[in-house]
Each structure stands twice: as structure tokens, then as C-alpha cells.
Amino acid sequence: MSKQLESAAALPVTPPPDVAPPPKKQPYPFWLGGVAATIAASITHPLDLTKVRMQATGDKGMVQSLRKTVRTAGYRGLFDGISGTWLRQMSYSLCRFWAYDESKKIVGAGKDAPAWKLALAGSMAGGIAGFIGNPGEIMMVRLQGDFAKPPEKRLNYKNCIDGMIRMIREEGWSSLGRGLGPNVFRAVLMNASQLASYDFFKAELLKTSYFEDNIQVHVAASFAAGTVATTVCSPADVIKSRIMTATAAEGSSSLQVLKRSFQNEGAMFMFRGWVPAWTRLQPTTILIFVTLEQLKNLVDWTRAWQGAQ
């Protein structure tokens, strides 16, 4: 027996064959986030329309505002300004998802990154997207809020393209930057709270033994992210909407709008429309992230199918 062991030990050891490292996963198309956000915003557009009208015109009560819209413009009125929503999502949202992924690389926010790194990456993405998406934001707010105004004060834009052309012609190129400061500030808050908290909550849920990376986790993480984002962003969202809908005759600077709102309504005006904002942002956040995750799965499936051919 000992001789057999000695002979076996004397045999040359054949090194294992070289194992090729797994191929590096290709990045997802940069436009996936914009498409996911456009789909989600199209579905929840009536709620967003109601939120903007409550913030801009002082309508009290979400149900009352919805009824007013249907009474004055019919059920089609619930989708007033949908072209502005599409423009906004395919500029602002497309940019923020792309910039968030790139910012995470810059700050080194990997799979189990701490919350502060995710928030920093989200803030960087929000600043970039808020600047680039400001014209689309103006169009969305103006188109949504137009029919809530008296007929003599309406802008009557046909769609977002007509609105952009008319705004530049009538108000100058500088009008594209109206409300830029509050919009960028809100975008920083939104992305630091929504995108970062989604990644944070998703990672925390996956650390437990009760969850796997599936639609249940995506819904739970996005629900928590939507609540955080609504509360953090409400003041900036209200101020931004009022500045963008204000005319030069009323006084449209940030200071004038703030002073007028504080005098007329007190500090709680900054949380006006919180319930419709939460009601709108929750399904929107869930739809965005669930749709985005499914689009990523579709890309993975397509690449696997193409590789098998």
C-alpha cells in the first residue's frame, strides 16, 4: 500500500488547464432609463397634471382638481400636455440615469456602496440632468398648467415643439433658463433621494434571506424610494412650478415668488400637493424601476440569444 502511495506521489502533477475569466458584462444602452421613465410618466400623467395644477393655481384637494379638469376639458383633458411630459422624460430622465451610472463609476460606488456614495453620485447626476432638461421641464409645466388658468391668461401652445418655438420667439433664448436654479436644486434632491435610496434599499433587502433579485424586491425598494423622494423634494418642486408658470407681469423671480407665496399662504405652501405628489410619484417610481429592470432583463436575454446563434 505504501509503495502504491509513493508511486502515486512520484507521478508528475499536471497543472489544471487555464480557465478563461468570464467575459466582462457589456453596459446597458444609455437610453434605457429614458424609455422606462417615458412609459411610466405616460401612465401616471393625470396624477402629475393634477399635482402641477394644485401647486401652480392653488386648487385644494386632488379629487376636486381632477373633477375640475374633467368638467372643463373632458376626460381627454387629463392628458393635457402629454407631449411636454415626453420631451421632459427623454431629456431629463434619459440624462439622469446615464449620468448616475457614470457618476457611480467616478465615486467608486460599487455593488455594496455606502449610502453617502450613492447619494453623491445621485446628486452629481441630478445637477447635470436638471441643467440639460430645464427647457423640457418648462414645457411640461406650462402645458399641464395652461388650461387651469383663465382663458385670457392661457398660452395655448399646440404641443411642446410649438411651445418651444413660441417661447424663444416671444421671450428670448434666456427664457429656456427660467427656474433653472430651483429646477437643478430639485433634480439634485430627487436623484440623491430616489435613485440612491432605490439602490440602497434594494441592496439591503437582498442581504436578507427573504428576498431574491426579482420583481418583489424591485417593487419594495421603489416604494420606499418614492416616499423618501416625495418628502425631500416637495419644497423645491412647489417653488419650481410656481416660478415656471409665473409671468413677467406677476413677478417671476425666485425671490418674488417666494415672498408672495409666504405672504399669502405661510410656510406650509411648500408642501402643497404632497398627497397627489406622493400618489403620483409612488406608482411612477415603481413603474420606472420595474420597467427599467425588465428592459435590462430583455437586453440580457437578447444578447444571450444572439450569442447562442
Side-chain angles (χ1 to χ4, degrees):
M1 184 68 178
S2 60
K3 290 183 178 181
Q4 292 176 346
L5 292 173
E6 290 175 2
S7 62
L11 292 174
V13 179
T14 305
D18 292 337
V19 178
K24 188 176 180 180
K25 191 173 183 179
Q26 291 180 309
Y28 292 105
F30 73 94
W31 43 263
L32 281 189
V35 172
T38 301
I39 294 171
S42 298
I43 296 172
T44 60
H45 183 78
L47 295 175
D48 194 36
L49 179 75
T50 302
K51 179 206 70 171
V52 169
R53 289 182 174 177
M54 288 182 67
Q55 291 174 346
T57 65
D59 285 350
K60 296 181 179 180
M62 180 176 63
V63 175
Q64 178 186 348
S65 184
L66 281 167
R67 287 177 176 173
K68 179 180 176 181
T69 298
V70 173
R71 184 173 64 252
T72 56
Y75 285 100
R76 290 184 60 183
L78 295 175
F79 289 90
D80 284 342
I82 189 70
S83 66
T85 296
W86 292 337
L87 175 65
R88 189 246 188 184
Q89 298 303 334
M90 289 307 294
S91 55
Y92 164 74
S93 289
L94 186 151
C95 182
R96 74 183 180 120
F97 278 100
W98 166 80
Y100 181 57
D101 287 338
E102 295 302 314
S103 298
K104 285 196 291 185
K105 297 175 186 176
I106 294 172
V107 302
K111 183 179 180 183
D112 296 318
W116 71 267
K117 280 193 174 183
L118 295 173
L120 177 59
S123 298
M124 292 167 63
I128 296 169
F131 179 81
I132 292 176
N134 198 69
E137 191 83 22
I138 295 173
M139 278 300 102
M140 182 189 73
V141 172
R142 286 192 173 192
L143 286 167
Q144 289 178 356
D146 205 34
F147 278 97
K149 295 180 178 180
E152 65 276 8
K153 293 186 177 181
R154 292 176 186 172
L155 298 168
N156 295 316
Y157 295 154
K158 297 177 182 178
N159 49 55
C160 63
I161 304 301
D162 175 65
M164 290 282 287
I165 294 172
R166 282 185 51 194
M167 187 171 71
I168 294 170
R169 182 187 301 148
E170 297 168 8
E171 303 175 49
W173 286 94
S174 62
S175 62
L176 297 178
R178 174 168 292 174
L180 180 62
N183 188 44
V184 170
F185 180 61
R186 177 196 175 273
V188 169
L189 293 177
M190 172 61 73
N191 288 277
S193 57
Q194 188 190 55
L195 297 184
S197 60
Y198 174 79
D199 279 351
F200 174 78
F201 286 122
K202 179 182 174 183
E204 291 300 310
L205 289 171
L206 291 176
K207 289 178 183 178
T208 69
S209 58
Y210 302 103
F211 295 97
E212 297 178 358
D213 193 357
N214 53 29
I215 195 169
Q216 285 82 10
V217 166
H218 305 157
V219 171
S222 56
F223 183 89
T227 301
V228 172
T230 303
T231 305
V232 170
C233 297
S234 182
D237 202 20
V238 173
I239 295 169
K240 176 211 68 173
S241 294
R242 294 195 175 193
I243 290 172
M244 288 183 172
T245 55
T247 62
E250 296 171 333
S252 58
S253 72
S254 301
L255 186 59
Q256 289 172 318
V257 171
L258 277 171
K259 183 179 179 181
R260 185 166 60 246
S261 299
F262 269 112
Q263 288 176 342
N264 296 337
E265 303 168 65
M268 289 306 294
F269 87 92
M270 292 186 292
F271 292 94
R272 182 176 292 278
W274 188 94
V275 172
W278 181 85
T279 306
R280 167 254 175 191
L281 191 59
Q282 278 295 12
T284 300
T285 303
I286 292 171
L287 283 168
I288 285 174
F289 287 113
V290 170
T291 304
L292 181 59
E293 297 281 5
Q294 295 306 310
L295 288 174
K296 288 180 177 179
N297 290 340
L298 179 60
V299 171
D300 290 338
W301 178 86
T302 303
R303 288 173 175 172
W305 180 80
Q306 290 175 344
Q309 298 302 306

